[in-house]
Amino acid sequence: MTLPQLNIYRHDRGRRALITLAGEIDPATAPQVRAALERCLHDGITTIDVDLTTVGRCDSSGLRVFLDASRHAVETHASLRLHYPSPQTARLIENVDSDLLLL
């Protein structure tokens, strides 16, 4: 059995960060996503854009990470937005009335 893989790339421009994710977001990889988003907030980033173009699958554990990070961002006067989710991921977000995460 192969382990799911997720690559995380971060590009900062001032107080804005672009996080590009490539792979799958599931219980095995969600902690990596959580750590990357929390690191942005810890570093003083105020706008986090997450590019999901190359995410093949995002399950409920990934959604929980995004919701938690979004709440934490608001608490620190920052914002988190998801861009280019797959149709499956967009439906998951909409099904829990969290489409405010989407631009």
Side-chain angles (χ1 to χ4, degrees):
M1 180 173 96
T2 60
L3 294 175
Q5 183 175 352
L6 179 70
N7 293 308
I8 301 173
Y9 306 96
R10 176 177 165 180
H11 177 74
D12 292 357
R13 178 174 282 167
R15 297 188 72 183
R16 181 177 208 126
L18 172 63
I19 303 292
T20 303
L21 304 174
E24 294 186 3
I25 305 171
D26 58 21
T29 59
Q32 294 172 277
V33 177
R34 181 179 304 279
L37 297 175
E38 291 298 323
R39 197 171 309 114
C40 286
L41 294 172
H42 182 267
D43 292 346
I45 298 296
T46 58
T47 303
I48 305 169
D49 294 303
V50 181
D51 183 348
L52 300 172
T53 303
T54 54
V55 170
R57 186 174 74 89
C58 176
D59 70 7
S60 60
S61 62
L63 178 61
R64 169 61 43 212
V65 167
F66 292 132
L67 291 173
D68 291 347
S70 178
R71 281 195 270 293
H72 188 199
V74 168
E75 291 169 1
T76 61
H77 306 288
S79 66
L80 178 134
R81 294 288 178 259
L82 306 179
H83 302 274
Y84 313 113
S86 70
Q88 174 266 340
T89 302
R91 275 192 308 277
L92 180 65
I93 292 167
E94 291 166 5
N95 285 342
V96 294
D97 291 328
S98 298
D99 46 326
L100 292 177
L101 284 171
L102 297 174
L103 266 183

